[in-house]
Amino acid sequence: MSEFVKGLEGIVAAQTEMSYIDGEKGVLEYVGIPIGELSAKSTFEETVFLLWNKRLPTRSELDEFTSELRQRYELPAGMEQRVTSLPTNAEPMHVLRTMVSALGMHDAQPNEIELDRARRKCLNVLGHAPTIVAYFDRYRRGLPLIHPDRSLSFAENFLYMLNGEKPTATMARAFDICMILHADHGLNNSTFAARVIISTLSDVYSALTGAVGSLRGPLHGGANEGVMKMLNEIPSVADVESHVMGKLERKDKIMGFGHRVYKAKDPRASDLQGLAEQLAKDTGNEDLYAKSHAIEQIMEREVAAKGIYPNVDFYSATTYHCIGLKLDLFTPMFALSRIGGWSGHIIEQLDGNRLFRPKAEYIGAHNAPYTPIDQR
Ligand code: CMC
């Protein structure tokens, strides 16, 4: 009889060559390359190529991959109309989930899962998703849509479509770094969801739709919005101590802290901290960074002994705010990047598939009587 492990904690349920995590030492590598190297030297496009191919591209391979991605910035015919007929008060994560699903209806052969075909469908979603989010945001604000510009990188183009003007090099690079840092992370919940769905030999759109749904939860990608809400609730740095201590006394979770795998500071949080500090200075949001830093110091004093440290969501909140993103776009940003990682896992799963079908331990009654309805 196999042992029941709640939350599958510590269970190895897949093999991957994409990312390696040492939670005790706070190490994250993509295909063996330390995350800090990639965030300092790579681009999101190159990082996705790395994750999908398990090696860095040559110049011409990168150019070709980038060009294929840029060809997918424009939405298929009919999709723009779908996005602009949604309720304007819909949450962007619900919009993204529904529209990723809808993309399957705009593909003449949505169910193809041969590796090269599946890969092309992943590229479709990776290219289309930023346009979906930017179009929806402008539509709900009553602004004219800004069509994508294929001369721009993934990061530049998204910010351009959102704001109607080309981002500064600093903003575009900051956003690109966020995309690199969020691209993959072992068998996290949404990646597991994608792998579980594709393991039935369903289709890429279904697997990515399920993954978006998983990511929005506050214990997963939704935590970055929770961090920002908490920062907004705290009037000033002087109020941080009482606010955090109050939460800890009530046994409330502090969003952006703790991780199922890391028992040290998440290396992505360290990278984002530097970025958040710089952007906060550049954009006059020093107070936001100061509050975040004060929270981290209190958490270090109070709960570090339990292995609770900042995770990727903690400083990404300040970073996204300084880039000018609205609160409910924070989790969609995580998704735009993670589509790269989910896709790599879908391809890995298809390449050597085994249906996921664990068992449940039955803990109910046996031989129970069937009582007729009028006697219950
Ligand atoms: N604030 C305060 N205490 C915490 C926190 C936190 N954020 N996280 C864990 N703890 C405490 C928890 O109360 C428990 O204490 P005790 O043993 O005294 O009851 C202990 O640490 C173990 O916590 P757990 O919830 O059993 O641990 P887990 O492995 O299930 O939790 C987690 C992982 C991410 C769900 C949890 O840390 C959490 O809810 N964090 C806040 C949400 C968050 O930031 N999520 C983003 C995760 S990283 C990005 C991603 O993967 O999406």
Side-chain angles (χ1 to χ4, degrees):
M1 178 73 181
S2 329
E3 187 199 349
F4 162 56
V5 181
K6 200 168 184 179
L8 298 184
E9 193 164 350
I11 300 288
V12 178
Q15 289 185 312
T16 182
E17 292 177 77
M18 290 170 57
S19 52
Y20 167 78
I21 306 165
D22 182 332
E24 298 298 325
K25 295 192 183 132
V27 171
L28 170 63
E29 296 170 344
Y30 292 168
V31 194
I33 303 178
I35 192 67
E37 281 284 288
L38 291 165
S39 65
K41 298 175 186 166
S42 187
T43 60
F44 179 61
E45 288 85 338
E46 185 181 59
T47 299
V48 174
F49 183 102
L50 170 72
L51 291 170
W52 291 11
N53 296 280
K54 321 290 162 47
R55 63 176 176 82
L56 289 168
T58 61
R59 164 69 55 204
S60 66
E61 285 172 332
L62 180 59
D63 288 347
E64 192 187 333
F65 182 73
T66 303
S67 154
E68 284 185 11
L69 181 63
R70 290 180 185 197
Q71 283 161 34
R72 287 160 169 87
Y73 285 174
E74 282 290 353
L75 297 183
M79 273 297 290
E80 179 178 323
Q81 198 201 350
R82 279 189 195 286
V83 175
T84 53
S85 58
L86 295 167
T88 48
N89 63 351
E91 284 177 33
M93 277 303 275
H94 288 282
V95 168
L96 185 62
R97 184 204 58 230
T98 301
M99 291 298 110
V100 168
S101 176
L103 283 174
M105 299 186 289
H106 289 263
D107 181 332
Q109 307 288 341
N111 302 335
E112 292 173 329
I113 48 168
E114 298 77 21
L115 290 187
D116 61 325
R117 303 283 166 96
R119 211 182 148 102
R120 257 180 271 156
K121 290 170 201 311
C122 291
L123 204 56
N124 289 345
V125 181
L126 188 70
H128 297 327
T131 314
I132 291 170
V133 175
Y135 277 7
F136 178 72
D137 184 60
R138 290 191 67 89
Y139 152 69
R140 70 176 173 172
R141 287 191 280 151
L143 298 172
L145 304 190
I146 304 290
H147 285 261
D149 181 341
R150 281 190 196 173
S151 71
L152 302 178
S153 71
F154 184 94
E156 289 166 333
N157 178 55
F158 175 71
L159 295 176
Y160 165 64
M161 290 189 294
L162 197 69
N163 300 323
E165 57 188 43
K166 297 199 175 141
T168 63
T170 311
M171 284 299 173
R173 181 61 189 145
F175 188 66
D176 196 40
I177 292 172
C178 291
M179 294 293 100
I180 294 170
L181 294 174
H182 285 85
D184 191 45
H185 206 241
L187 201 60
N188 58 85
N189 192 291
S190 53
T191 297
F192 186 43
R195 289 188 80 130
V196 167
I197 294 170
I198 204 67
S199 83
T200 68
L201 303 185
S202 176
D203 65 281
V204 165
Y205 299 101
S206 297
L208 291 174
T209 300
V212 176
S214 153
L215 188 73
R216 63 163 289 282
L219 297 187
H220 192 7
N224 56 14
E225 293 182 20
V227 172
M228 197 64 221
K229 283 183 192 145
M230 171 176 70
L231 291 171
N232 286 338
E233 273 166 27
I234 305 175
S236 73
V237 182
D239 303 298
V240 168
E241 175 84 25
S242 59
H243 190 93
V244 173
M245 291 311 291
K247 271 188 182 293
L248 291 178
E249 273 153 29
R250 291 191 300 276
K251 295 238 166 243
D252 287 350
K253 293 265 175 74
I254 307 289
M255 291 291 118
F257 281 82
H259 201 279
R260 182 57 68 78
V261 181
Y262 290 116
K263 300 304 162 206
K265 190 165 175 175
D266 181 333
R268 300 167 300 173
S270 305
D271 262 8
L272 283 163
Q273 181 171 4
L275 204 57
E277 185 174 15
Q278 187 57 50
L279 289 178
K281 248 186 228 147
D282 294 350
T283 58
N285 284 297
E286 287 95 339
D287 192 47
L288 208 54
Y289 177 78
K291 282 192 264 181
S292 308
H293 190 51
I295 295 173
E296 184 180 354
Q297 284 175 319
I298 297 166
M299 290 296 278
E300 171 83 36
R301 187 188 74 207
E302 297 294 325
V303 291
K306 282 194 212 170
I308 311 292
Y309 290 93
N311 60 49
V312 68
D313 289 316
F314 189 60
Y315 286 105
S316 71
T318 301
T319 306
Y320 287 148
H321 179 84
C322 295
I323 290 176
L325 296 166
K326 277 185 288 308
L327 181 61
D328 64 1
L329 293 182
F330 287 15
T331 312
M333 296 309 98
F334 196 154
L336 296 188
S337 161
R338 191 54 66 83
I339 289 168
W342 294 329
S343 298
H345 280 271
I346 287 171
I347 297 162
E348 264 190 352
Q349 183 65 35
L350 285 171
D351 188 13
N353 184 51
R354 175 102 179 134
L355 175 72
F356 278 103
R357 203 324 185 172
K359 292 193 290 187
E361 181 187 356
Y362 177 68
I363 54 168
H366 289 283
N367 290 322
Y370 178 84
T371 314
I373 196 159
D374 52 1
Q375 291 171 28
R376 288 174 211 163

